Amino acid sequence: MGLLTILFLTSIVKKSVEPTPLADLKEQFTKKKQPPSVDHTKFSQLKKKFSRPQDVTAACNECHTERHTEVMKSSHWNWEREEYIEGRGIRYVGKKNILNNFCIGISSNEQSCNKCHIGYGWNSPSFDFNNPNNVDCLACHDNSNTYTKQSGGAGMPDPSVNLTYVAQHVGKPTKANCGTCHFFGGGGNNVKHGDLEKTLFDATRDVDVHMASDGVNLECISCHKTEKHQMLGKVYSLSSMNRNRSTCEQCHTETPHKSDVLNEHTLKVACQTCHIPEYAKVNSTKMRWDWSTAGQLKNGEPFEIKDSLGDEVYMSIKGSFVWKRNVQPDYVWFNGTASHYLLGDTITPTAPIQMNTLHGSYADPEAKIIPVKIHRTKQIYDPVYKMIIQPKTFAIKKGEGGFWKDFDWVQASEKGMESVNLPFSGKYTFVETEMYWPINHMVSPKNNSLQCNSCHTRDHSRLANLRDFYMPGRDYNASVEFLGTGAIVLTLLGVIGHASLRIVSKRKNGKG
Amino acid sequence: MKKEFVYKRFERFWHWTQAALILFLALTGFEIHGAISFFGFEQAVTFHRTAAIMFLVLIAFAIFWHFTTDEWKQYLPTRKHLRAQFEYYISGIFRNAPHPTKKTVLSKLNPIQKLVYLALKILVIPVMVASGLLYMFYRYPQKQGIGSLNIDSLEKIAVVHTVGAFFLAAFVIAHIYLITTGRTVTSNLKAMITGFEELETEHTPAEVHHTAGTK
């Protein structure tokens, strides 16, 4: 008995001392950061007045001699990757040539869209991708928080930026660097992703348990690990292959729960599904975009209408929008591969055109259920050539054919389609499209994750739309249910009938 | 009439524990099935699994007991008086007719009971145990890389398990009612609680036959 007590006690003590994997991670990521081993303010190369940003890059390259070659291999630079797309073969796809259902595409709009390119001056297809000095080191490495790119400047810095100061204050990328572009994609805060927005610059644990300022305060690159300027992770609006993904498992392992039943779920359910119960937790995200209403003018001038939260519900240049906050994700099977609507694909729309399709099913051993944002749009389409149109939207001044200045869809379509070497019939209409955005950020603290009955329930199951498998609590076989309930009811009726007859006959016999 | 010790201590323990477990498994099981809500899904799953393991342990002890005591022979089916027993339930009972078979320590089950309990023991319970174990462990084989044991979908297992559950539920209702059809309304219940029951001492030829058959 005494021996048993000792064994029991030691097992308790052992448990309380042994660090859990989660505690290990917390320790690892809350370590005080070492000061950098170099002080860029002391380099003579950087102690001069830079008039052109390209000269800063040249100065960087004097010491970091081969770094630009790494950058120039990255998708941040090329805006395309070599991808194998199921049924399409090997394609070179990326922001460079894939259409979306937000601002649609960069072609003929480079001057504006390519503000977020990590280069200087990509304003036309003739941009020199082989000139090292065109690489913008500062966009990602500015640690002074004073570097910004100019709107409509094709990636050039804002004229107000003190290049010397920025060049002297460089370091590893922080949320501020990544977020400047990735939180504002689609023309405003949280427009595109829904789970990436400016709140993450300084979030609470409830919003994002990883990036929270009052938590472990991870940087983007803590998970999107980077070696030689090649980063883990990409978004399936643009990429197609199951490779180079940044995953929860890289830190948390595939079996992070104490409960075996929960660990078993990880074979078919992605971590994000339960641990991101909602997205757009603070600011709204765009759920629907209707380009067909664009172009209305007041006294010949474009205008905007905002709702009570300050979100634009109408813009003459872009059309009408539906925004949502605290959105419950949709759920789909996903095996890590996707296909896309590619420029020039001809489609006769019977259902909404899928701008990207995430592949997977229950039967697919690689597939897991993931949460997604589905963005739905009515966008411009050529009913004669049956193609989604790449319009020219941006223009510096009127008369250049940009829709945002001239409000003429025919001209905008002509110019845009010409820029991608595709025909335009002169006729246009608007078609419904859908685009799938996997939700990976805004992970909630564990006590806010989904409960069993969020899915395992007959009514309002979060997985109500995934019908290709049997899920306890949600599913049942209708005939078994009918026959089984029938058997119980008949037995009960039989028992009641039999008992009543017995009581009646007993009285009779008793009286007799 | 003589007071006889019909149900041994283990037998009663087994019966009542089994009864409690079956009711509890039904409650938690139908909650997992989505038909009722009581504990909440998560608790229901935990409780159902725990009760299932307790049930397995109980079954192991019960099997041991049945074989070491030769009590298993009580369940050997017979066609003798089977029809008479049916007729008793559908007509005789209303006329105050006597039970067609006499209950004795060595033959405590009537022909219908023999048949139904045997079916429970060799068909329903094994099916529930097998489907239940597959339900619990159906994906672990895949985890350990035994591809041939992979089951594509839970659906078939779940359907079998649910059919069994409905059957057991109906059985329990009928069973609870039929125990009132003993010598008196409560005599069977009292016997299963105390172990003792007043049995008729007069031996019919049929009964002698049964006694010879069981021992």
Side-chain angles (χ1 to χ4, degrees), chain A residues 96-154:
Chain A
K96 194 184 261 178
N97 52 16
I98 279 201
L99 298 188
N100 61 50
N101 65 6
F102 294 85
C103 293
I104 302 176
I106 71 160
S107 294
S108 70
N109 305 307
E110 290 91 344
Q111 188 71 35
S112 173
C113 303
N114 297 12
K115 174 190 179 186
C116 271
H117 180 241
I118 55 154
Y120 297 126
W122 180 3
N123 58 6
S124 75
S126 60
F127 175 70
D128 186 359
F129 284 93
N130 297 313
N131 181 353
N133 290 345
N134 280 344
V135 172
D136 180 354
C137 308
L138 304 176
C140 306
H141 292 285
D142 163 43
N143 277 179
S144 73
N145 263 333
T146 63
Y147 184 80
T148 51
K149 291 202 179 218
Q150 189 184 12
S151 283

Side-chain angles (χ1 to χ4, degrees), chain B residues 5-20:
Chain B
F5 188 42
V6 187
Y7 301 110
K8 310 288 179 300
R9 191 154 55 162
F10 174 80
E11 196 172 11
R12 282 175 286 134
F13 166 77
W14 163 59
H15 174 270
W16 288 114
T17 314
Q18 174 165 273

Side-chain angles (χ1 to χ4, degrees), chain A residues 260-261 264 267 362 452 456 458 470 472-473 476-477 480-481 484-485 488 491-492 495 498-499 501-502 505 509, chain B residues 32-35 41-42 49 89 93-95 135 139-140 152 154-155 158-159 163 166 169-170 173 177 180-181:
Chain A
D260 279 347
V261 183
E264 206 185 339
L267 284 171
Y362 174 77
C452 304
H456 292 278
R458 291 194 184 179
Y470 182 95
Y476 53 89
N477 179 305
V480 169
E481 218 66 3
T485 318
I488 289 177
T491 310
L492 272 173
V495 161
H498 200 270
L501 277 175
R502 267 171 74 199
S505 63
N509 294 337
Chain B
I32 294 168
H33 188 54
F41 190 88
E42 186 171 9
R49 281 171 174 247
Y89 281 135
I93 192 167
F94 305 120
R95 288 182 279 106
Y135 210 130
R139 211 179 279 117
Y140 288 132
D152 288 341
L154 191 55
E155 181 158 23
V159 162
V163 168
F166 275 120
I173 294 166
Y177 172 67
T180 67
T181 63

Side-chain angles (χ1 to χ4, degrees), chain A residues 12 24 38 108 183 199 214 225 251 259 262 289 338 410 418 446 453 495-496 502 509:
Chain A
I12 287 179
D24 275 348
V38 292
S108 70
F183 295 169
T199 302
D214 59 347
K225 292 203 164 82
C251 285
S259 148
L262 290 182
W289 185 320
V410 174
E418 193 191 334
K446 66 177 173 188
N453 62 2
V495 161
I496 293 167
R502 267 171 74 199
N509 294 337

Side-chain angles (χ1 to χ4, degrees), chain B residues 95-112:
Chain B
R95 288 182 279 106
N96 243 347
H99 281 270
T101 53
K102 296 286 170 284
K103 189 169 180 175
T104 70
V105 173
L106 295 175
S107 175
K108 42 197 178 198
L109 305 177
N110 72 43
I112 294 182

Side-chain angles (χ1 to χ4, degrees), chain A residues 346-375:
Chain A
T346 54
I347 291 188
T348 309
T350 48
I353 295 174
Q354 307 292 294
M355 301 305 284
N356 65 334
T357 307
L358 306 182
H359 301 144
S361 67
Y362 174 77
D364 182 341
E366 295 296 318
K368 292 183 183 191
I369 295 168
I370 62 156
V372 292
K373 167 186 167 179
I374 304 177
H375 184 254

Side-chain angles (χ1 to χ4, degrees), chain A residues 81-91 240-243 337-338:
Chain A
R81 298 184 186 88
E82 187 182 72
E83 299 272 3
Y84 174 79
I85 307 176
E86 224 174 276
R88 310 298 293 262
I90 291 170
R91 295 292 191 112
S240 315
M241 289 168 73
N242 187 9
R243 59 172 180 187
T337 69

